[in-house]
């Protein structure tokens, strides 16, 4: 009987010490998670500021250098994709039919929201002064951010809602995708 009591006491003491160790391990992990969340929040804000400035600067460039400006702020894949989308069924070298375009890009992008036949970021052909009137984060990862953006041109009374995927690559931000709805006119 005495042996049973002694063994039981050892088991109780051993269990108590094991629980303390687990508790001590859990606390540092929680602190690390908070640090990651704060850094992530800073990255989201940095990506948002970069996106707003890049969009507004893009629309301030002259039309002759718009393509180069677009190329500077987008990934190579997205630049090629959007260039193809803008030229679908056009009478220019290298233009694709809509079916060819969908076959070429459907594995990498949502081709239904490519903005086929319309410009980069907006569906309007003419604009006066494009401003970012709203930019809200929808999702954020370590190096990938999705924003719900509304671009507006007050003089022409136009608004262009888009979703923009921004990635961080080699320390700088780039637009990796823009989901544009093509407006339907009656």
């Amino acid at each position: 009987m005495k042996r049973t009591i002694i063994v039981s006491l050892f088991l109780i003491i051993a269990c108590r010490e094991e629980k303390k160790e687990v508790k001590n391990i859990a606390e540092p992990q929680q602190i690390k998670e908070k640090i990651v969340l704060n850094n992530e929040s800073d990255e989201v804000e940095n990506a948002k500021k970069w996106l707003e400035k890049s969009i507004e600067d893009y629309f301030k460039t002259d039309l002759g250098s718009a393509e180069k400006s677009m190329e500077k702020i987008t990934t190579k894949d997205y630049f090629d994709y959007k260039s193809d989308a803008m030229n679908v069924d056009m009478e220019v070298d290298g233009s694709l039919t809509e079916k060819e375009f969908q076959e070429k890009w459907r594995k990498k992008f949502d081709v239904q929201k490519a903005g086929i036949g319309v410009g980069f970021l907006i569906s309007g052909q003419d604009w006066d002064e494009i401003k970012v009137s709203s930019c809200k984060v929808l999702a954020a990862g370590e190096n990938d951010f999705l924003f719900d953006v509304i671009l507006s041109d007050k003089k022409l009374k136009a608004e262009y809602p888009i979703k923009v995927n921004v990635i961080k690559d080699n320390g700088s931000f780039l637009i990796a995708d823009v989901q544009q709805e093509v407006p339907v006119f009656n």
Side-chain angles (χ1 to χ4, degrees):
M1 178 82 166
K2 286 183 182 179
R3 287 184 185 175
T4 308
I5 294 174
I6 292 174
V7 171
S8 297
L9 285 174
F10 281 122
L11 286 173
I12 291 171
I13 292 170
C15 289
R16 283 187 183 171
E17 287 180 14
E18 190 175 309
K19 286 181 182 177
K20 286 180 183 176
E21 288 177 22
V22 170
K23 190 174 186 180
N24 288 338
I25 291 171
E27 288 177 22
Q29 289 175 345
Q30 290 172 348
I31 292 169
K32 284 182 183 178
E33 287 174 6
K34 289 178 184 175
I35 291 170
V36 169
L37 291 174
N38 287 339
N39 288 341
E40 196 172 280
S41 172
D42 289 344
E43 282 301 296
V44 169
E45 192 59 32
N46 291 338
K48 179 181 174 183
K49 286 178 184 176
W50 174 87
L51 180 62
E52 291 172 341
K53 182 178 179 350
S54 295
I55 288 172
E56 290 183 5
D57 287 350
Y58 169 78
F59 284 104
K60 290 176 184 173
T61 61
D62 61 68
L63 290 177
S65 62
E67 185 175 356
K68 286 192 182 286
S69 294
M70 176 183 158
E71 192 171 17
K72 286 180 184 177
I73 62 173
T74 61
T75 63
K76 171 138 178 49
D77 273 352
Y78 179 74
F79 177 78
D80 293 341
Y81 165 72
K82 185 58 185 177
S83 295
D84 282 350
M86 289 189 290
N87 293 317
V88 165
D89 291 329
M90 295 280 214
E91 299 285 327
V92 295
D93 288 340
S95 71
L96 305 170
T97 66
E98 191 166 345
K99 185 178 180 182
E100 290 170 331
F101 172 79
Q102 290 178 356
E103 286 296 314
K104 180 177 179 180
W105 293 108
R106 69 184 166 132
K107 291 181 182 173
K108 287 188 177 185
F109 295 95
D110 181 355
V111 294
Q112 301 304 314
K113 296 185 180 178
I116 292 175
V118 298
F120 175 56
L121 299 171
I122 65 170
S123 56
Q125 291 182 0
D126 298 318
W127 65 87
D128 180 54
E129 185 179 15
I130 299 291
K131 293 285 186 186
V132 177
S133 60
S134 174
C135 184
K136 297 176 185 169
V137 65
L138 294 175
E142 189 174 332
N143 292 311
D144 191 13
F145 313 93
L146 180 63
F147 294 96
D148 187 20
V149 180
I150 298 176
L151 304 176
S152 61
D153 188 337
K154 291 187 183 210
K155 186 174 181 184
L156 298 180
K157 298 177 183 170
E159 285 194 339
Y160 305 98
I162 55 175
K163 289 187 178 33
V164 183
N165 181 249
V166 174
I167 62 165
K168 187 168 186 180
D169 186 38
N170 293 323
S172 62
F173 297 107
L174 293 170
I175 294 172
D177 191 16
V178 178
Q179 297 175 12
Q180 291 176 273
E181 300 288 336
V182 177
V184 178
F185 299 104
N186 292 335

